[in-house]
Amino acid sequence: MKLERYTLKAQEALQQAQSIARRNDHQQVDLEHLLGALLEQTDGIVLPVLEKIGVNLDLLRARLDEALRRIPKVQGGEPYLGQRLAKALDAAEDLADRNKDEYVSTEHLLAAIAADSQGAGDALR
């Protein structure tokens, strides 16, 4: 992962995902944290995109909160990058490459999350 290749909003979302994991005493930063961070970006593109396609944001947030509660809590230590998140970041970079986009944006991150078959992906579906 080359952070300089990510847009400012995507970088902010990754930092916020780490903060969400830390706040919840989670050992690793994963897709649920990233989705939560994207939903917190009130000035970003993710919320308008989700609204435009008819996503019930209250229901999505409730499902995401439920998924976050299922993650085991661990005291101490700095959260590390989870395997699912690492794979999603690779997928987002691949998507940007296929679209000939110079930068990985929050839209690429959202598409990668939606492709996941677990918690965050389930919440989006």
Side-chain angles (χ1 to χ4, degrees), residues 23-123:
R23 245 189 351 248
N24 285 283
D25 294 321
H26 293 154
Q27 188 173 17
Q28 61 186 8
V29 183
D30 227 324
L31 293 178
E32 291 75 21
H33 305 104
L34 181 56
L35 179 56
L38 291 172
L39 293 176
E40 288 179 6
Q41 289 186 339
T42 56
D43 60 341
I45 191 69
V46 169
L47 289 176
V49 165
L50 292 174
E51 288 172 343
K52 186 165 182 109
I53 62 172
V55 171
N56 179 331
L57 293 176
D58 291 333
L59 180 59
L60 174 58
R61 286 186 179 102
R63 287 182 177 171
L64 181 59
D65 286 344
E66 182 181 318
L68 285 168
R69 280 193 299 274
R70 286 194 302 262
I71 298 172
K73 293 184 181 290
V74 177
Q75 297 294 321
E78 192 67 19
Y80 60 88
L81 187 69
Q83 181 107 14
R84 288 173 45 238
L85 179 54
K87 286 181 180 181
L89 294 176
D90 288 342
E93 290 174 12
D94 289 345
L95 180 58
D97 290 341
R98 281 194 310 274
N99 290 334
K100 296 183 179 20
D101 293 329
E102 186 175 352
Y103 294 98
V104 178
S105 67
T106 55
E107 300 95 271
H108 298 117
L109 296 176
L110 182 63
I113 293 169
D116 186 63
S117 63
Q118 297 181 41
D122 282 344

Side-chain angles (χ1 to χ4, degrees), residues 11-30:
Q11 289 179 31
E12 288 172 356
L14 290 168
Q15 290 172 342
Q16 184 61 17
Q18 185 177 23
S19 294
I20 292 169
R22 194 179 307 113
R23 245 189 351 248
N24 285 283
D25 294 321
H26 293 154
Q27 188 173 17
Q28 61 186 8
V29 183
D30 227 324

